[in-house]
Amino acid sequence: YVRGCSARINMLISQTDDKKLRRKMQKAYDIVHTSQIQSNPTANKYEMEVLTLLEHIEEAAEMNNIESADKALDLLIKVANKRNSFV
């Protein structure tokens, strides 16, 4: 979870031109990258949600849909923080 998501978010950061979106991606990267690697069944539910949101963000960024990516990033940050509270 940690390595895969971090790498995907880092790639998105390098491909994004929008400064506000890039800052938010950096925040998401920091939260995911500094997460504990260990997981548990409760946290697994949130990890799957983060992965789903990350796919949505990648698609939105590819289509240059800044608003959709921004909203999904807000939710990803919230879910990743929730995941971290369970590990």
Side-chain angles (χ1 to χ4, degrees):
Y1 163 80
V2 174
R3 287 183 185 155
C5 286
S6 296
R8 288 168 69 183
I9 295 170
N10 201 28
M11 188 182 322
L12 283 169
I13 292 169
S14 67
Q15 296 173 348
T16 303
D17 295 330
D18 186 87
K19 287 183 181 182
K20 181 182 172 193
L21 194 61
R22 190 179 306 137
R23 262 187 253 118
K24 200 171 279 192
M25 286 178 180
Q26 185 64 49
K27 182 177 180 178
Y29 174 84
D30 291 341
I31 291 168
V32 172
H33 187 70
T34 59
S35 298
Q36 289 187 8
I37 294 175
Q38 277 185 302
S39 187
N40 62 50
T42 306
N44 190 38
K45 173 182 130 182
Y46 296 105
E47 292 168 0
M48 293 299 116
E49 193 171 343
V50 166
L51 290 169
T52 301
L53 287 165
L54 190 51
E55 286 177 22
H56 177 75
I57 294 165
E58 288 170 334
E59 290 171 7
E62 188 175 307
M63 295 169 56
N64 206 26
N65 188 341
I66 304 298
E67 186 177 323
S68 179
D70 187 56
K71 288 179 183 178
L73 271 167
D74 286 336
L75 192 53
L76 184 144
I77 289 168
K78 182 179 175 182
V79 172
N81 279 326
K82 194 164 222 167
R83 180 260 182 203
N84 290 345
S85 69
F86 285 102
V87 288

